[in-house]
Amino acid sequence: MSMDLVQIVVPPLILLVFIVSILIFWGIVGRGRRPALRSLPGFKSLPGQLSQVIEEGRSLPLSLGSGGVGGGDTATTLAGLAVLEGLAEETAATDAPPIVTVADPTTLAMAQDVLRRAYAEQGNAAGLDFRSVHYVAASPLPYAAGVMDLLSNEETGTSVMAGVFGSEAAFIAEEGSRQGLIQVAGVADLTSQAVLYPSVTHLAIGEEMYAAGAYLNAKPASVGSLLAQDLIRLILVILISVFALFTLLLGGAPR
Amino acid sequence: MKRFVAAVIPSAITIFFLAVTLLTYIVPGLSDFRARLVELAVIVAASAMLLGVVNLLHVHGTNILRRRGWFYSLVLLLSFVGVLLVALFDLVLSLNRVPAATLAQQATSGTAMTLVYQYILIPIQASLTALLPFFLAFAAFRTLRMRRTVGSTLGAVVFLVTAMVVLLGQLPLSNLPPLVSDNLRAARDAIIGVWAMAGMRGILLGVALGIVATALRVLVLADRPSSD
């Protein structure tokens, strides 16, 4: 099989296997079988921290970063919104929604909608203040400066970052450290992972961020998708290892 | 019926555009169509900016009225009005000089607006960026001090030693014996080219899978980002 044919056939094939595995795992989890998920301390501990914040009458700032919906950052922004959905379900019974900061107007509309849905499902639509979602700025650095100001003014014990961030995440994390906050971050960008590593309490790296929904809302679809993701990753690791072994033993990639 | 329509139409539109966009990556020759879809998304995103402006005025107006963090809110609103006036000034100046179709562009790239960018916004952002290395150095030091378990301390030590080796390997250390400077450069190359590269590729592979999984969840209606 030539490499051109491999490049044409393999991506749709992997997509197909991915879709089928999501549907199968979704069905299995939906029937009540709960698999043990790998440990992600940050997102696992978030509901407990949220309860504590609510009991103490404080607020929980959630920074969704500078990503928007409609461009290349859509999936990462949706993963951030899944974190918001999980938090909103917990807070919807109270009149203290998370304080959400965004740097893109499309994310602003989506975040307000997520909050509205969560509050409507709890029958507390009147308790929602749409001003809890702040459009801070249109570019990353002013956004970071705005979030720093918010963290210094709000009475809170925890700060969450989930979405699209670059190196400006270091400023937000530094302000959080200065305030002595427990910081949970989920980012996909390599630069932001590097700058956040020394500062935050729990850092979800790489694909862990996209798994946040499975930990926070535990919906069968989210858990099933996480299992499918792990399966495909295992298949890819085996394929890469086989190709690397071929290259090493035969002195070239298989044709 | 109304509820059915409200639930089905947004999902159908989402699935249609997601599936078509996905096809444009698989089927060669459809990239022009994808570009048209992206243009459509840009127009929708631009109209959402109005929502952002209303939110900005609402949140900061409330802060000023309630005298809660009011100072920076006031500075922000004054800056907003100031920049808006500058854009209008540029627009009025160019009314008789440029065709109507390029007027909006003139408002954001006129002479006065360029001055605002060049002498206010860019220097402020550059100053903030220049602080980043100091923030990171301080954070790294604090990490080393705060870690309590053996594993986390080891992680912090590896982090600091790696950062030091890579930084020293970048410097032109002509005063050092060749044995030391050559080994430092070799260590830096090995860290960047082998260890960091392998880690980066592993992380990027995971991120790509996460992105695909998120998109497929929407495609099979497991996730509904839009309201019913």
Side-chain angles (χ1 to χ4, degrees):
Chain A
M1 202 191 296
S2 73
M3 286 307 282
D4 285 346
L5 197 59
V6 169
Q7 281 168 1
I8 293 169
V9 171
V10 170
L13 199 67
I14 291 177
L15 269 181
L16 193 68
V17 175
F18 213 153
I19 292 175
V20 171
S21 352
I22 288 177
L23 292 173
I24 290 173
F25 284 121
W26 183 9
I28 292 173
V29 179
R31 281 197 203 104
R33 290 188 65 178
R34 288 275 147 185
L37 299 176
R38 61 197 139 101
S39 174
L40 275 185
F43 290 122
K44 214 172 179 180
S45 66
L46 213 46
Q49 285 165 28
L50 187 61
S51 305
Q52 197 181 342
V53 162
I54 293 170
E55 274 174 29
E56 291 169 356
R58 295 170 166 194
S59 55
L60 182 96
L62 167 64
S63 313
L64 288 178
S66 52
V69 178
D73 299 327
T74 303
T76 310
T77 306
L78 288 180
L81 288 167
V83 174
L84 171 62
E85 192 180 352
L87 297 178
E89 281 167 6
E90 297 276 330
T91 57
T94 71
D95 287 340
I99 297 176
V100 187
T101 51
V102 300
D104 190 287
T106 54
T107 315
L108 169 74
M110 297 285 282
Q112 286 182 333
D113 190 46
V114 166
L115 283 178
R116 191 195 59 74
R117 267 190 288 172
Y119 273 68
E121 274 170 24
Q122 289 285 334
N124 187 23
L128 175 63
D129 183 356
F130 281 107
R131 280 172 303 183
S132 59
V133 185
H134 296 199
Y135 175 65
V136 177
S139 52
L141 274 174
Y143 169 75
V147 175
M148 287 169 79
D149 180 48
L150 185 90
L151 290 181
S152 64
N153 281 325
E154 287 295 328
E155 274 196 27
T156 181
T158 305
S159 163
V160 184
M161 283 187 257
V164 179
F165 292 89
S167 56
E168 79 282 358
F171 295 115
I172 301 173
E174 178 58 26
E175 183 60 36
S177 299
R178 203 180 298 161
Q179 303 290 333
L181 307 180
I182 294 171
Q183 299 192 82
V184 179
V187 288
D189 178 71
L190 289 169
T191 311
S192 55
Q193 286 169 21
V195 300
L196 285 174
Y197 174 77
S199 302
V200 302
T201 324
H202 300 292
L203 177 62
I205 288 175
E207 90 281 4
E208 291 176 353
M209 189 207 159
Y210 301 91
Y215 287 83
L216 290 172
N217 57 36
K219 284 179 185 166
S222 304
V223 178
S225 143
L226 181 59
L227 295 174
Q229 203 175 312
D230 284 348
L231 175 74
I232 299 295
R233 191 170 49 164
L234 186 68
I235 292 172
L236 286 179
V237 167
I238 291 170
L239 280 177
I240 290 169
S241 305
V242 168
F243 269 73
L245 208 62
F246 262 108
T247 313
L248 196 69
L249 296 177
L250 304 177
R255 293 188 173 274
Chain B
M1 181 63 186
K2 192 180 168 188
R3 188 171 170 75
F4 174 77
V5 170
V8 167
I9 288 180
S11 302
I13 292 172
T14 309
I15 289 174
F16 172 74
F17 281 106
L18 189 57
V20 167
T21 311
L22 206 59
L23 269 181
T24 61
Y25 282 98
I26 294 168
V27 181
L30 283 178
S31 54
D32 282 350
F33 186 59
R34 187 174 67 230
R36 295 280 171 276
L37 289 181
V38 170
E39 278 172 20
L40 197 68
V42 168
I43 293 169
V44 174
S47 62
M49 182 55 89
L50 194 63
L51 187 71
V53 170
V54 171
N55 177 274
L56 196 80
L57 297 176
H58 196 185
V59 168
H60 291 281
T62 311
N63 283 352
I64 292 169
L65 289 176
R66 290 183 183 169
R67 296 193 172 270
R68 183 166 166 267
W70 63 274
F71 180 71
Y72 289 124
S73 291
L74 185 66
V75 171
L76 188 138
L77 288 188
L78 289 177
S79 309
F80 174 82
V81 174
V83 174
L84 194 67
L85 288 177
V86 170
L88 287 175
F89 176 72
D90 269 343
L91 199 63
V92 171
L93 276 188
S94 56
L95 267 181
N96 296 322
R97 285 189 285 125
V98 296
T102 56
L103 272 180
Q105 190 192 354
Q106 189 67 22
T108 54
S109 60
T111 316
M113 201 61 174
T114 308
L115 290 176
V116 170
Y117 268 100
Q118 207 169 341
Y119 293 108
I120 299 177
L121 205 64
I122 292 174
I124 289 175
Q125 294 206 10
S127 313
L128 201 56
T129 309
L131 291 173
L132 193 63
F134 301 102
F135 275 66
L136 285 178
F138 187 64
F141 171 70
R142 196 177 41 232
T143 306
L144 196 60
R145 214 178 48 177
M146 297 287 284
R147 305 278 165 168
R148 293 204 168 85
T149 62
V150 176
S152 58
T153 308
L154 193 68
V157 170
V158 169
F159 176 81
L160 273 182
V161 170
T162 310
M164 289 303 293
V165 169
V166 172
L167 282 174
L168 287 175
Q170 301 277 93
L171 297 175
L173 300 169
S174 52
N175 294 335
L176 287 178
L179 185 70
V180 177
S181 58
D182 288 352
N183 281 332
L184 265 177
R185 279 199 197 94
R188 182 207 63 183
D189 291 346
I191 288 169
I192 293 176
V194 181
W195 296 100
M197 187 61 77
M200 276 164 59
R201 284 182 178 166
I203 291 171
L204 288 176
L205 188 68
V207 168
L209 284 177
I211 289 172
V212 175
T214 307
L216 292 182
R217 273 208 307 271
V218 176
L219 190 68
V220 299
L221 282 182
D223 266 0
R224 289 184 184 188
S226 57
S227 266
D228 288 352

